[in-house]
């Protein structure tokens, strides 16, 4: 099989920019742990699906071979800059674009100097690919795509990796419950904004840990609606598509609030 | 310092296609024109802005999204290259703008005084969003008037729409107070499209105007109804209908700029001047002006009485 490891991580800039705040620091530590596990799984390429990269017309795929620069988060600019240095596996990406187009998921590569890279992709690359060791396949979250299309995109990436004999690590970037605090809080006292959301998040993470994929997938639509999950939890759909029958639970390295919303670092069992 | 005032407000939407169609030197991709009706509308708006000679342009953009609070650009000079994430093929624009930091700080303070979360953006490496840049380019391509850039706190999407728009009303009122206190002659720019239903695929030649038309008939009818009301000065009716308009035509005014601008101008029941209307990839865009000087609602005489 092409997939050697798979992870779910939050898209928020906060663990990266402010790890001295204990809940966010625990997420940062967990992402470092995930990064070590990823390195140990020895992939050729890291596949990053980020809910923070919005597409509206076509499904967009990063096709610029080397991206370097400094990103400033739109909301958390006060905490500094996010430098990035990312290489792209353009061969695998082009294969995925072609395959998606053949399957009727209209897709386009982007290859532009200064194209805005989203915070989630940069966070993933920072923690899971320190020193820009491995190339990425980086694709977007088309706001009009539903669970099924997102799952199909995950599946076709895995298919193309298999065809090209690439070993890949799949990284889905996105949050859990989506209700954040709108007003300033004492960040050291950050918590999940409601008991209901917390209960839902824990229930879903427990299903992941139990390895009960069928129950997990059956609960996802209700979870997405009830806990206003970040982007309808489509990042999980991408994991489902990529892993297919391999989806059989995992380990939760951390579960914490980021300004009231839910965030977890999950390593799936492969 | 004499009391400042808002001299005009413009509805100034930001499809990057308009910059692309114009081919200014700052934009990398080159076109064979397109969207002329809207670009000519902006020519008229530019001419009237020139006559107004404001000290500052304030722009509220839906594409600087901030979940926590209303943010204000707070770095004296910002520059860089802005690439549109949806239309990178059309918009790769090198910008360099001056910020009226003193007014921005006053806007932030007044927003906080009215119970909103306000925050200054002090990071010099911050990249200004493409909505702000497109609106500013279309209104004033010389870039010789300082600006105040205001983010879209996504409250109308996150809260109930009416609650979110009520926050935008407060933001507008606080902006007005800041302008008055700092003595500026200010122009407000609401960077919003009307009906926002759009094509799902871009035509092969983006500027091929044989392909351009409203995406939905219902959306078009809504736009015409709202523009007619605005042209007649029936502002109360516009705001009564606004939630329904937003709901049924997916209008980008939901993001709040339009409400912010009208609240700051104190909802003048005066006819707006339509400079032009056109669609861009199916969405409805109007360039409109509310000139408070011409309407006798602003100007030196009034300031003296005040
Ligand atoms: Fe827009």
């Amino acid at each position: 099989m092409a997939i050697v490891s798979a992870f779910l991580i939050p898209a928020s800039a906060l663990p990266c920019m402010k790890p001295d705040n204990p809940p966010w620091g625990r997420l940062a530590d967990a992402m470092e742990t995930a990064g070590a596990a990823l390195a140990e799984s020895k992939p050729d390429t890291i596949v990053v699906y980020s809910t923070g990269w919005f597409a509206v017309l076509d499904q967009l795929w990063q096709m610029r071979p080397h991206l370097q620069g400094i990103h400033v988060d739109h909301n958390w600019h006060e905490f500094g800059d996010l430098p990035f240095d990312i290489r792209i596996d353009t061969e695998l990406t082009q294969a995925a674009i072609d395959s998606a187009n053949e399957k009727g998921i209209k897709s386009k590569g982007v290859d532009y100097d200064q194209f805005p890279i989203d915070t989630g992709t940069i966070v993933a690359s920072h923690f899971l690919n320190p020193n820009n060791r491995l190339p990425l396949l980086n694709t977007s979250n088309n706001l009009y795509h539903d669970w099924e299309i997102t799952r199909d995109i995950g599946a076709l990436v895995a298919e193309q990796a298999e065809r090209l004999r690439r070993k890949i690590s799949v990284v889905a970037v996105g949050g859990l419950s989506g209700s954040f605090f709108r007003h300033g809080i004492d960040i050291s006292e950050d918590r999940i904004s409601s008991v209901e959301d917390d209960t839902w998040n824990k229930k879903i993470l427990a299903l992941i840990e139990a390895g009960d994929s069928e129950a997990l997938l059956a609960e996802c639509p209700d979870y997405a609606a009830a806990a206003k999950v970040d982007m309808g939890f489509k990042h999980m759909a991408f994991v489902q598509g990529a892993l297919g029958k391999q989806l059989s639970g995992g380990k939760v390295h951390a579960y914490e609030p980021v300004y009231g919303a839910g965030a977890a670092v999950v390593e799936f069992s492969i | 310092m004499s009391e400042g005032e808002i001299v005009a407000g413009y509805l100034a939407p930001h499809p990057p296609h308009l910059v692309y169609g114009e081919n200014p030197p700052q934009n990398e991709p080159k076109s064979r024109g397109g969207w002329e009706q809207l670009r000519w509308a902006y020519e008229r708006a530019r001419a009237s802005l020139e006559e107004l000679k404001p000290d500052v342009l304030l722009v509220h953009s839906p594409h600087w999204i901030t979940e926590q609070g209303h943010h204000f650009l707070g770095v004296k000079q910002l520059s860089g290259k802005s690439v549109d994430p949806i239309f990178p093929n059309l918009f790769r624009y090198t910008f360099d703008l001056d910020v009226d930091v003193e007014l921005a700080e006053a806007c932030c303070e007044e927003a906080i005084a009215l119970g909103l979360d306000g925050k200054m953006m002090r990071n010099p490496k911050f990249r200004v969003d493409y909505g702000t840049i497109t609106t500013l380019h279309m209104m004033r391509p010389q870039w010789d008037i300082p600006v105040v850039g205001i983010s879209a706190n996504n409250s109308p999407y996150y809260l109930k729409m009416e609650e979110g728009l009520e926050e935008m009303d407060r933001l507008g009122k606080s902006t007005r107070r800041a302008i008055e206190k700092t003595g500026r002659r200010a122009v407000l720019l609401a960077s919003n499209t009307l009906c926002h239903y759009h094509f799902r695929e871009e035509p092969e030649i983006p500027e091929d105007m044989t392909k351009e038309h409203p995406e939905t008939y219902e959306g078009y009818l809504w736009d015409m109804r709202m523009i007619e009301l605005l042209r007649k000065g029936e502002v109360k009716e516009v705001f009564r209908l606004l939630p329904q308009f937003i709901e049924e035509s997916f209008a980008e005014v939901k993001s709040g700029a339009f409400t912010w601008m009208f609240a700051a101008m104190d909802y003048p029941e005066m006819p707006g001047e339509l400079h032009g209307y056109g669609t861009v990839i199916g969405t409805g865009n109007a360039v409109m002006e509310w000139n408070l000087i011409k309407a006798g609602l602003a100007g030196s005489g009034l300031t003296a009485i005040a």
Side-chain angles (χ1 to χ4, degrees):
Chain A
M1 278 300 287
I3 296 170
V4 293
S5 55
F7 304 88
L8 191 137
I9 66 163
S12 170
L14 292 173
C16 197
M17 307 191 77
K18 199 96 184 89
D20 55 334
N21 186 41
W24 306 340
R26 286 191 287 274
L27 285 167
D29 291 346
M31 283 191 272
E32 274 171 16
T33 306
L38 185 149
E40 209 161 288
S41 73
K42 296 192 171 43
D44 302 313
T45 298
I46 306 174
V47 170
V48 176
Y49 170 86
S50 177
T51 50
W53 178 5
F54 298 166
V56 172
L57 298 171
D58 306 303
Q59 175 68 18
L60 297 181
W61 307 73
Q62 185 54 254
M63 272 297 280
R64 197 157 183 88
H66 190 193
L67 305 141
Q68 226 177 345
I70 289 172
H71 173 71
V72 177
D73 190 76
H74 277 168
N75 194 84
W76 300 113
H77 40 77
E78 68 201 272
F79 293 140
D81 314 326
L82 289 166
F84 60 90
D85 185 354
I86 293 169
R87 283 180 302 127
I88 295 294
D89 181 343
T90 51
E91 189 192 4
L92 177 59
T93 307
Q94 187 58 55
I97 293 170
D98 294 342
S99 164
N101 279 321
E102 272 166 33
K103 290 176 198 288
I105 303 168
K106 212 161 168 287
S107 283
K108 216 190 236 177
V110 290
D111 177 3
Y112 299 104
D113 172 43
Q114 305 287 322
F115 182 86
I117 315 293
D118 71 288
T119 297
T121 295
I122 293 168
V123 167
S125 144
H126 172 86
F127 284 111
L128 301 188
N129 193 32
N131 306 317
N132 183 21
R133 226 170 38 82
L134 295 168
L136 266 54
L137 174 148
N138 184 201
T139 194
S140 59
N141 159 27
N142 186 308
L143 298 176
Y144 293 98
H145 286 172
D146 58 12
W147 185 281
E148 282 68 33
I149 297 177
T150 310
R151 186 192 60 201
D152 292 349
I153 294 170
L156 72 87
V157 169
E159 260 168 45
Q160 293 307 310
E162 180 83 46
R163 194 177 66 78
L164 294 173
R165 298 186 182 285
R166 285 285 202 291
K167 286 187 289 171
I168 57 168
S169 177
V170 174
V171 179
V173 185
L176 302 181
S177 59
S179 297
F180 43 78
F181 296 117
R182 295 191 57 248
H183 302 291
I185 59 164
D186 174 352
I187 60 171
S188 65
E189 290 176 10
D190 197 1
R191 58 179 172 79
I192 303 292
S193 61
S194 76
V195 176
E196 293 76 16
D197 282 1
D198 190 31
T199 307
W200 258 116
N201 292 334
K202 285 177 175 157
K203 179 177 174 181
I204 290 297
L205 293 174
L207 286 170
I208 291 177
E209 289 214 302
D212 190 347
S213 304
E214 217 168 290
L216 167 70
L217 296 170
E219 287 287 2
C220 283
D222 286 347
Y223 170 52
K228 287 192 186 156
V229 177
D230 189 18
M231 292 294 151
F233 208 25
K234 285 196 293 179
H235 27 307
M236 189 64 218
F238 188 87
V239 172
Q240 184 201 356
L243 267 59
K245 291 197 171 66
Q246 270 183 296
L247 178 63
S248 59
K251 182 172 168 33
V252 177
H253 289 299
Y255 164 55
E256 299 288 344
V258 280
Y259 234 84
V265 178
V266 175
E267 179 181 352
F268 293 95
S269 313
I270 299 294
Chain B
M1 191 190 297
S2 64
E3 190 168 88
E5 62 182 354
I6 296 164
V7 291
Y10 291 82
L11 180 59
H14 56 254
H17 305 66
L18 305 182
V19 175
Y20 170 70
E22 184 182 306
N23 290 316
Q26 296 100 321
N27 199 32
E28 242 174 53
K30 298 296 166 212
S31 70
R32 296 175 67 192
W35 304 280
E36 282 76 8
Q37 305 294 332
L38 273 167
R39 293 197 287 112
W40 294 333
Y42 264 116
E43 271 181 25
R44 289 186 281 274
R46 284 172 180 175
S48 76
L49 181 67
E50 171 70 29
E51 270 176 36
L52 285 164
K53 299 204 185 327
D55 300 324
V56 60
L57 304 173
L58 294 93
V59 54
H60 186 284
S61 164
H63 297 291
W64 177 14
I65 298 173
T66 54
E67 287 89 6
Q68 277 79 29
H70 304 267
H71 297 208
F72 301 82
L73 294 182
V75 176
K76 203 164 170 15
Q77 200 254 348
L78 288 159
S79 59
K81 184 169 167 186
S82 171
V83 177
D84 184 312
I86 311 297
F87 299 104
N89 51 329
L90 309 183
F91 190 81
R92 304 192 296 279
Y93 186 99
T94 303
F95 68 93
D96 190 344
L97 59 83
D98 291 324
V99 174
D100 183 341
V101 177
E102 188 192 330
L103 175 57
E105 284 170 347
C107 288
C108 186
E109 277 164 27
E110 293 297 330
I112 292 168
L114 282 191
L116 300 171
D117 278 38
K119 200 183 268 187
M120 293 301 294
M121 198 303 295
R122 306 278 194 194
N123 191 321
K125 295 182 190 131
F126 186 78
R127 186 149 63 163
V128 181
D129 72 284
Y130 58 97
T132 298
I133 290 171
T134 298
T135 287
L136 286 168
H137 173 90
M138 293 314 294
M139 286 302 299
R140 189 71 182 172
Q142 302 91 320
W143 293 95
D144 57 355
I145 301 175
V147 308
V148 170
I150 309 175
S151 79
N153 173 244
N154 66 352
S155 51
Y157 293 88
Y158 191 73
L159 303 171
K160 285 201 187 88
M161 196 200 307
E162 282 78 356
E163 282 176 293
L165 292 176
E166 186 279 326
E167 279 206 8
M168 296 311 300
D169 171 83
R170 262 190 288 159
L171 185 69
K173 289 177 170 133
S174 62
T175 299
R176 180 191 183 95
R177 281 195 200 177
I179 290 165
E180 287 171 352
K181 283 190 182 171
T182 53
R184 302 293 196 271
R185 274 172 59 82
V187 161
L188 307 181
L189 306 175
S191 181
N192 275 163
T193 287
L194 299 177
C195 168
H196 208 262
Y197 287 117
H198 56 78
F199 304 166
R200 298 299 298 276
E201 281 182 25
E202 195 175 23
E204 201 166 323
I205 301 168
E207 61 267 44
D208 177 356
M209 290 297 102
T210 65
K211 303 284 192 294
E212 190 59 79
H213 58 82
E215 167 70 355
T216 72
Y217 182 46
E218 291 70 25
Y220 175 76
L221 289 175
W222 256 119
D223 280 1
M224 293 308 114
R225 184 177 175 190
M226 295 304 264
I227 289 169
E228 265 305 290
L229 290 169
L230 288 167
R231 288 180 66 230
K232 288 186 194 150
E234 293 186 24
V235 172
K236 269 198 198 84
E237 181 64 0
V238 166
F239 278 86
R240 189 185 71 79
L241 289 171
L242 198 68
Q244 193 192 349
F245 168 55
I246 289 170
E247 208 62 65
E248 292 178 15
S249 70
F250 190 41
E252 202 190 30
V253 293
K254 183 173 182 176
S255 63
F258 183 76
T259 306
W260 160 78
M261 177 174 79
F262 266 92
M265 296 193 299
D266 203 18
Y267 302 95
E269 289 276 324
M270 61 175 275
E273 185 179 353
L274 176 71
H275 289 302
Y277 176 86
T279 64
V280 177
I281 195 158
T283 66
N285 297 274
V287 180
M288 292 194 77
E289 174 179 350
W290 289 267
N291 189 319
L292 302 181
I293 301 252
K294 273 194 203 162
L297 296 171
S300 50
L302 270 184
T303 312
I305 294 161

